Amino acid sequence: MCGDDAIPERADLTESQWAKSLGLTSQRTGRPTLRRRTLLASMVAGATLATLPGRAAAEPAHTEGPEKFPLPTGVGRDGTLSVLITGDAGTGGTAQYAVAAAARQVCAAEGVLLAVGLGDNIYENGPDSDHDSEFATKFEQPNTGIDVPWLMVLGNHDCSGIIPGSGGDPSRGDREVAYSATSPRWYMPSRYYSVTVPAVPGATTPLVEFFALDTNPLASTVTQTDPYYQWDGPYMREQRRWLDEALSRSRARWKVVLGHHPYLNNGKHGNAGRYDGFLVGHYTRGIHLKELYEEVVCGRADLILSGHDHTLQVLEPTAAGRGTRQIVCGASGKTGDGRAHGSTPARWQDFSRHGFVIAKVAEDRLTLNAYTVDVDTARATLAHTSSVHPLRVPAA
């Protein structure tokens, strides 16, 4: 009826219109008839709201939490900062646990100091509160032993509205921000944020700076009805302004943007600007996300790391991307359909296997090691390795 990758029949429907077209509304009341955990996502905002301009913030439901795993203050034994990259992991299923087990072994061997979660952290509807039990079953328990900070971003399933994965209720993401206060590894201080590592006091040129974005208001499957979260509303205007200024201020050797929805993608969902084959629509095709990437990110950040498509891709930069490279890593809980749907040049790509990526960051190069995972044995195989160089030397 309405699966993980359900696509509306036409662009920019409201969720009510889409639900009605699927026969998911009551003929008597006209209201949705979807079940809570299988299809219905609560329309009520989380108990704690992120502090952003234009929205009041409530006090966190939990004010005392465990000691956080610290951000790295140096590099590993081999002189690099090793980072685990995962995406679209949060199913709570066998595949997620197998990928995490395989990653745990590689992380121990490689001395990983930091991890990244590229969204769709809690399938299918996102959490129902900031203390939802699914944080344990779909994040904490699978990742036990990978005891480092996890830089997390919001995916479309984390912000489900009436229909799972629609991205139609961005306010649900506030629950994942609030959860950051109660977890030693989950790092999401706000809906969008930046982190410099190693976190060395007084350092003027950090090795890498990560810029974590909330791409949902620009790429939701349905039109946003809350004016605050519309593509040209206050939230996105402020996020764009923040990103532009943060990239300008950064003196990091490497600048890496994290966003659930990709700029370039040879998988099923396609490139921003024509997601899922749509050529019209503010939201469904992601045209304004394409604009954000090309006008603010491209030529300024070295990498864009994304999930959304359940594939593994190391893509080559395009002319429009001005040297910025796209990495897609969304196969940590689900897999693709086994075939390429786009033609962007790629160093390597896999459309059928589970896996993850380890980035090893040094001053002069960043090495990408892509691993595929056999779910039956929970073993990882190094499937691809390549190195890239920074776009430019940061200004003094």
Side-chain angles (χ1 to χ4, degrees):
M1 184 163 51
C2 183
D4 171 52
D5 290 314
I7 305 301
E9 60 189 9
R10 57 185 173 86
D12 286 6
L13 294 172
T14 65
E15 282 206 287
S16 296
Q17 290 170 331
W18 189 13
K20 185 176 181 180
S21 74
L22 293 172
L24 300 177
T25 55
S26 167
Q27 292 184 354
R28 181 175 62 84
T29 66
R31 294 178 179 175
T33 58
L34 314 180
R35 296 180 62 188
R36 172 182 174 271
R37 273 298 184 200
T38 55
L39 288 177
L40 177 60
S42 169
M43 296 298 288
V44 181
T48 304
L49 297 178
T51 304
L52 288 173
R55 287 285 166 112
E59 288 297 320
H62 304 279
T63 57
E64 294 184 5
E67 185 177 353
K68 306 288 284 188
F69 293 122
L71 292 168
T73 57
V75 295
R77 296 183 298 273
D78 62 355
T80 69
L81 177 72
S82 294
V83 182
L84 168 66
I85 304 168
T86 68
D88 300 68
T91 65
T94 301
Q96 180 190 8
Y97 277 76
V99 171
R104 184 160 47 246
Q105 294 183 353
V106 175
C107 287
E110 295 289 345
V112 163
L113 299 175
L114 190 69
V116 169
L118 291 169
D120 284 358
N121 310 311
I122 307 292
Y123 280 108
E124 296 289 332
N125 300 315
D128 286 331
S129 70
D130 64 326
H131 54 277
D132 194 314
S133 63
E134 291 192 336
F135 282 114
T137 59
K138 297 181 178 181
F139 178 74
E140 301 290 352
Q141 293 170 10
N143 296 315
T144 299
I146 309 178
D147 297 336
V148 298
W150 287 69
L151 309 184
M152 307 297 289
V153 301
L154 295 169
N156 51 297
H157 281 269
D158 303 305
C159 298
S160 294
I162 298 171
I163 296 173
S166 66
D169 186 4
S171 67
R172 289 178 67 87
D174 295 329
R175 299 164 187 178
E176 297 193 7
V177 174
Y179 179 69
S180 186
T182 71
S183 169
R185 54 175 61 81
W186 183 288
Y187 190 97
M188 188 186 285
S190 188
R191 299 176 66 100
Y192 53 85
Y193 59 92
S194 66
V195 171
T196 55
V197 290
V200 180
T204 57
T205 55
L207 181 61
V208 58
E209 185 164 2
F210 294 94
F211 304 84
L213 306 184
D214 174 12
T215 57
N216 288 285
L218 296 181
S220 52
T221 306
V222 295
T223 188
Q224 294 292 335
T225 55
D226 182 344
Y228 182 67
Y229 288 111
Q230 288 175 352
W231 71 265
D232 58 349
Y235 177 76
M236 283 311 308
R237 292 200 302 271
E238 176 58 31
Q239 184 175 183
R240 181 186 175 109
R241 185 182 309 114
W242 165 82
L243 178 61
D244 184 34
E245 293 175 354
L247 284 168
S248 295
R249 288 194 305 267
S250 178
R251 294 297 178 264
R253 182 72 169 183
W254 294 90
K255 301 179 185 182
V256 180
V257 169
L258 314 176
H260 178 68
H261 298 84
Y263 168 52
L264 300 174
N265 168 37
N266 286 335
K268 178 181 177 181
H269 288 304
N271 295 337
R274 51 184 308 151
Y275 285 147
D276 299 301
F278 285 101
L279 301 179
V280 297
H282 286 300
Y283 298 96
T284 312
R285 64 171 171 154
I287 184 62
H288 297 297
L289 180 58
K290 179 178 186 290
E291 293 170 351
L292 178 70
Y293 280 139
E294 291 185 348
E295 294 172 7
V296 181
V297 174
C298 290
R300 302 171 75 189
D302 300 280
L303 300 175
I304 299 171
L305 306 183
S306 305
H308 194 47
D309 224 277
H310 303 153
T311 56
L312 299 164
Q313 304 171 53
V314 180
L315 300 177
E316 298 286 17
T318 62
R322 302 195 301 283
T324 297
R325 183 181 300 276
Q326 172 77 66
I327 310 298
V328 179
C329 184
S332 298
K334 301 187 179 187
T335 57
D337 62 3
R339 64 188 183 92
H341 293 256
S343 57
T344 298
R347 288 196 177 183
W348 176 82
Q349 51 194 352
D350 189 292
F351 299 97
S352 60
R353 290 179 288 185
H354 292 90
F356 59 91
V357 173
I358 301 289
K360 300 180 72 66
V361 189
E363 282 286 331
D364 62 340
R365 70 181 58 201
L366 186 151
T367 301
L368 297 162
N369 293 328
Y371 291 84
T372 58
V373 175
D374 179 7
V375 171
D376 291 336
T377 62
R379 297 189 65 173
T381 298
L382 180 60
H384 169 79
T385 185
S386 63
S387 294
V388 299
H389 298 279
L391 282 176
R392 61 179 64 84
V393 176

